[in-house]
Amino acid sequence: MENKYTEQQLRNIAGECQEFEHIINAMGYGYSLLNVSAANYARRCTDCIHWLGGSCNIFQKEISQWE
């Protein structure tokens, strides 16, 4: 399902989402342990705990506006 959406769509929607929580943060590992640089960090819907294969209600509502 990820291939269906562009990188721009995934970043724009995640960038404005108030419910976004990165899966790394939710797992409690921390960004530095997994070598995720703050300078290179980009919010993407696919990295969110709510993504669930694209079935996130917020994502579905926002992506429908792109079509």
Side-chain angles (χ1 to χ4, degrees):
M1 192 165 217
E2 291 177 33
N3 296 335
K4 182 177 176 181
Y5 308 110
T6 67
E7 183 73 12
Q8 181 183 8
Q9 290 171 319
L10 297 171
R11 285 185 182 209
N12 286 352
I13 293 170
E16 296 179 13
C17 183
Q18 299 296 316
E19 299 296 321
F20 181 87
E21 184 173 356
H22 200 286
I23 54 175
I24 292 173
N25 192 37
M27 293 169 66
Y29 295 136
Y31 296 104
S32 61
L33 180 64
L34 297 174
N35 292 328
V36 176
S37 168
N40 296 329
Y41 176 75
R43 288 171 59 146
R44 290 180 193 86
C45 289
T46 53
D47 297 332
C48 180
I49 62 169
H50 302 291
W51 174 245
L52 302 173
S55 63
C56 170
N57 291 334
I58 297 168
F59 177 79
Q60 289 300 318
K61 179 180 175 190
E62 294 296 322
I63 200 68
S64 68
Q65 296 174 12
W66 284 74
E67 298 171 349

